[in-house]
Each structure stands twice: as C-alpha cells, then as structure tokens.
Amino acid sequence: MSRLDDELSNELKKALRREEPPVGFEGRLMARLSSESKRETGLARWFKLALPRFPMMSRLAFASVLCLMFVAGVHYERERQERVEGEAAKAKLMQALRVTGTELQAMREKVMASSGDRAAGE
Amino acid sequence: MVFSIALHYLHDRESAEEVAQDVFVQLYRQRDRLSGPGHVTAWLRRVACHRSIDYARSHRLDPKIGLEELAEPASEERPGDPMLREKLRKLILSLSEKARMVMILRYQEDLDPEEIARELEMPVSTVKSHLQRSLATLREKFGRALGGSLG
C-alpha cells in the first residue's frame, strides 16, 4: 500500500470516527422504553410469567404440545366419525336381517301350510 | 456505534437519532432472544445498518450531491484539515447505498471484508469491489490534496 493510500485510510478513519449521540438521547430513549414496557400487558405478560427460563426451549416445547394436541384432535375426530358410520351400517344390517327373518318366517309358514294340506288330502 | 452508523449514513443528526432510538426499542422488544454482549453488539450493528438503509429509502434521503458537483479540494487543504474531512464525508454520502455502508463499516467499525459481507448479507467479492471502487474515486478526487503534503 502506498503512502497516499495510508494517508487516505487515516483520513477516512478520522472522517468516519464514532460520533456520540446528542445530549438527552438516553433520557428520550428511556421515556420511549418505559411507555413500551407499559404496553406489555395481557397475553405477553402471561407468556413471560409462564415461560421465564429457557424461553426458546420453552416456546419450542409449547409449540410441540400444541402440534400434538392438534394431531390428537384430528385422530379423535376421525375415529368418532368412523364409529358413527360403523353404527349406522350395523343398524342397517340388523334391519335387513329382521326383514329377511320375517320373510323367512312367512315362507316357512306357507311351506308348513301347504305340506299340511297335502297330508290331509292323502 | 448505532447513532454513529446512522449519522454517517444519513448525514442528518435528527434522522440518525430517530433510527438509533428505533434500533434500541427493537432491542428491548427482542431482549429475550439475545444472549451475551458480543451477540448484542453484532445484532445492534446489523440492525443499525439495515434500519439506516430503510430509513433513507422510505424518506427519500438519497443525497442530491453528485460526484461532479463536489469541488476539488483547495491546494491549501492538508491531511488533518476539518474541511477536508467534511468533504470526504460528503463524497462518501454520494456513493451508492451499499458502497456507503461498506465504507462506514470498514472505517468506522474497522471490520474486514468478510465481516462486512456477513453484516450486509452480500458476497465478499462484492464488498471488496465496493471498497476498491470507492477508494479509487476518493483517491482520484482527493489525491492531490493528500499527496501534496507527502511530497
């Protein structure tokens, strides 16, 4: 690097040196932060109280529990629907059996009646 | 650091304070997610850069000064001259937004190109190219004044 580059680099460091914030910056910031903290109520505060330590881990655990509850809910609903459908199918089958049983009985009675007539004729 | 990045980028104390306050409020909101002073410093620097760029875009604070409008430094201006530094600042302000931020991170924060690339989420080669082009422009514009005293 040439002396010119060194000098330019030094001048740039001086031109871009860190500047202090204006007087009163800290006070104005604290005022904003205190109004900000007042807004932290309700659910946000509850979350902070409920998950005070290891926030990231706790949130992940909380999210996992929610996911698990959702999956379990979907599974339960599917099972309930299958049970309802199964019961409806069973009821239909029973009705069909009852109808068939009645018809069989009528048929048997007819057969008995006709065989009784034949025996009487002989 | 935060106020200074915004000030050098925006060249306006009031806007720089607004950006710096916003950055600290954001830090307060996200305090649970940050751990350790090193992490906080890096976070503050990154957010200050991006907030300054966003602020300039949304408030249309792009500098009106073109390179050709900047006067050549007078021959009596020498290294260490406050007028020369102010002209350097104005010249930096006339650079493109990314090039300007690269120069601020290089010379205010003393970061190397790899660190700047991480902060600004751009390839290292782009950072180096910005630095080279900006320095070439500055050298051309101020070389005479800076070189004059060096003989």
Side-chain angles (χ1 to χ4, degrees):
Chain A
M1 194 187 270
S2 70
R3 285 183 67 192
L4 178 63
D5 287 338
D6 284 342
E7 200 58 57
L8 179 59
S9 181
N10 286 339
E11 285 301 314
L12 278 167
K13 279 180 184 168
K14 285 174 192 164
L16 294 175
R17 72 178 189 283
R18 278 190 183 178
E19 299 271 349
E20 290 301 314
V23 179
F25 176 85
E26 212 172 301
R28 289 189 287 277
L29 177 63
M30 293 315 286
R32 263 189 82 176
L33 291 181
S34 76
S35 68
E36 185 74 18
S37 67
K38 279 176 195 161
R39 255 182 266 156
E40 276 189 355
T41 51
L43 196 62
R45 187 163 289 174
W46 183 86
F47 265 98
K48 276 195 193 316
L49 287 171
L51 308 168
R53 297 181 70 194
F54 309 114
M56 202 60 204
M57 292 293 287
S58 304
R59 279 169 208 179
L60 276 175
F62 186 66
S64 306
V65 169
L66 276 182
C67 282
L68 207 65
M69 282 169 73
F70 176 75
V71 170
V74 168
H75 184 70
Y76 172 80
E77 177 58 25
R78 196 177 294 162
E79 277 206 338
R80 193 192 63 82
Q81 212 164 341
E82 277 175 7
R83 202 165 51 241
V84 167
E85 282 170 6
E87 276 171 9
K90 190 178 159 189
K92 271 186 186 171
L93 182 67
M94 291 302 287
Q95 193 180 358
L97 284 173
R98 266 199 302 276
V99 169
T100 314
T102 313
E103 282 175 355
L104 276 174
Q105 186 63 30
M107 195 75 82
R108 190 181 295 137
E109 280 169 6
K110 273 185 189 173
V111 169
M112 292 290 282
S114 67
S115 60
D117 288 349
R118 208 177 298 148
E122 283 173 3
Chain B
M1 173 186 74
V2 174
F3 173 77
S4 193
I5 287 174
L7 179 65
H8 288 312
Y9 188 82
L10 302 167
H11 208 68
D12 179 72
R13 295 188 80 83
E14 213 171 294
S15 306
E17 174 164 350
E18 202 179 326
V19 168
Q21 295 250 351
D22 286 348
V23 171
F24 284 111
V25 169
Q26 197 177 336
L27 172 74
Y28 176 77
R29 285 180 190 151
Q30 300 191 3
R31 61 194 182 280
D32 291 343
R33 295 186 203 168
L34 300 165
S35 55
H39 190 194
V40 171
T41 306
W43 186 92
L44 281 172
R45 192 187 288 130
R46 189 173 309 124
V47 176
C49 291
H50 292 290
R51 281 263 176 167
S52 301
I53 292 171
D54 290 345
Y55 188 94
R57 281 180 191 166
S58 62
H59 291 74
R60 298 181 185 280
L61 285 182
D62 282 338
K64 303 285 184 290
I65 314 155
L67 283 179
E68 62 286 348
E69 292 170 49
L70 279 170
E72 289 285 336
S75 56
E76 62 270 19
E77 285 175 353
R78 291 287 178 267
D81 189 332
M83 293 289 283
L84 180 66
R85 279 185 210 147
E86 185 52 31
K87 280 182 181 167
L88 270 175
R89 281 189 207 111
K90 281 187 178 166
L91 188 60
I92 290 163
L93 199 65
S94 71
L95 298 171
S96 70
E97 59 180 36
K98 292 285 182 190
R100 205 184 327 163
M101 196 52 92
V102 165
M103 291 294 280
I104 292 168
L105 291 179
R106 179 75 190 94
Y107 291 99
Q108 181 193 292
E109 294 300 304
D110 207 21
L111 300 185
D112 59 37
E114 285 75 20
E115 290 169 315
I116 297 171
R118 269 201 303 277
E119 297 290 322
L120 299 180
E121 293 160 355
M122 62 166 71
V124 181
S125 56
T126 310
V127 172
K128 286 180 179 170
S129 146
H130 276 311
L131 279 171
Q132 280 166 5
R133 265 185 281 158
S134 304
L135 287 173
T137 308
L138 292 172
R139 223 180 279 124
E140 188 190 334
K141 202 79 181 170
F142 290 90
R144 200 167 47 138
L146 293 169
S149 66
L150 300 170

